Amino acid sequence: MQNPIIAALDVPTAEQALTLAREIAPAVGAFKIGSELFTAAGTDVVHRVRDTGAAVFLDLKFHDIPNTVAKAVASAARLDVQMLTIHTSGGLEMMQAAEESVQQAARQSGRNAPLVLGVTVLTSHDASTLNEIGCGASVGKQVERLAALAVKAGLRGLVCSPLEIVGLRQILPARVQLVTPGIRTGAEKPDDQKRTLTPREALDAGANWLVIGRPIYAADNPRAAAEAFWKSLN
Ligand code: C5P
């Protein structure tokens, strides 16, 4: 089995990210670089993390007009990242433009196209904050609506919360890759994650990739923590 653990490098400097990445690379399947690290350390840190040989998930959640998002994801593809995120609420045309753009970048570079992952409703939302921004649907209904739109646009993957996996698996084609954060063994503190699953539960529910942040990077021994997560799946 391929290692499905994506370790989030949610640290503020390139030095911290590189130290962590080199330490845990053998125990994980990929690294996630999010807006904190990217905004501080830029494309250089992406190259240096890629140089460890690991796959990179660039989690910048692009949301803009289709033309701008198409160019942004093409830039990401040229960085040789393997996954990236866009907001599905950017609409059908924006998602189609993003997917077409990574396919074109892949043809030009001779590499595989990065997996464009759609983000549906942020887990920080509830019915009342959705209502505030003019969305009358429940969180569940809005997640389903945006997930279906993402598939219609040709996206090959989605980010979802642990508790959305089973429901999405029922309505999505099996080929759609699901990436889920909110992974805990139960032994550590849940931090601010309200809904968590263990790695085994998430895979059994239908997830393909597991994003794990604090339980690895904030552990006393990040390598041992990553190995324990990986071992729990074998
Ligand atoms: O530290 P923790 O394991 O909670 O980190 C989870 C990672 O997944 C963070 O990088 C966070 O930004 C991301 N994430 C999340 N919840 C979501 C979407 C993304 O925790 N709903």
Side-chain angles (χ1 to χ4, degrees):
M1 161 189 188
Q2 195 205 347
N3 188 326
I5 298 170
I6 303 174
L9 300 177
D10 292 338
V11 292
T13 69
E15 280 57 45
Q16 284 168 277
L18 262 295
T19 303
L20 180 64
R22 292 187 186 120
E23 185 183 351
I24 64 178
V28 304
F31 290 114
K32 184 167 88 77
I33 295 176
S35 44
E36 178 190 13
L37 180 60
F38 187 81
T39 305
T43 55
D44 184 55
V45 76
V46 178
H47 292 302
R48 291 166 74 192
V49 171
R50 261 307 272 151
D51 286 345
T52 66
V56 171
F57 169 11
L58 188 64
D59 185 19
L60 299 180
K61 298 186 180 68
F62 296 121
H63 186 172
D64 211 313
I65 59 171
N67 182 54
T68 300
V69 169
K71 289 187 197 169
V73 299
S75 292
R78 285 193 291 273
L79 283 176
D80 191 24
V81 303
Q82 283 61 51
M83 301 181 187
L84 60 91
T85 40
I86 64 173
H87 271 288
T88 55
S89 51
L92 184 71
E93 198 192 328
M94 189 202 84
M95 290 190 275
Q96 284 170 330
E99 184 61 33
E100 277 164 26
S101 177
V102 295
Q103 296 296 344
Q104 192 184 357
R107 284 193 296 276
Q108 285 165 356
S109 65
R111 292 195 288 256
N112 289 333
L115 183 63
V116 178
L117 298 165
V119 173
T120 58
V121 179
L122 295 173
T123 50
S124 46
H125 272 302
D126 57 22
S128 115
T129 64
L130 277 186
N131 199 43
E132 255 168 18
I133 57 167
C135 173
S138 68
V139 171
K141 281 280 164 243
Q142 186 66 1
V143 168
E144 283 181 19
R145 173 194 287 255
L146 290 170
L149 196 64
V151 171
K152 187 175 171 191
L155 295 200
R156 293 160 292 138
L158 291 165
V159 179
C160 68
S161 97
L163 294 196
E164 290 160 5
I165 302 169
V166 169
L168 287 176
R169 275 285 164 237
Q170 284 168 5
I171 60 164
L172 296 177
R175 65 173 187 278
V176 176
Q177 303 258 311
L178 293 181
V179 178
T180 185
I183 302 299
R184 296 293 185 268
T185 60
E188 68 285 88
K189 51 184 169 56
D191 303 310
D192 52 0
Q193 297 284 7
K194 294 189 192 92
R195 299 170 286 176
T196 65
L197 290 183
T198 67
R200 174 44 59 204
E201 287 168 340
L203 291 191
D204 287 348
N208 302 93
W209 294 93
L210 313 171
V211 176
I212 306 177
R214 287 160 288 186
I216 294 178
Y217 74 75
D220 291 335
N221 183 338
R223 173 69 175 264
E227 279 169 354
F229 272 112
W230 178 216
K231 222 178 270 168
S232 76
L233 290 169
N234 289 289

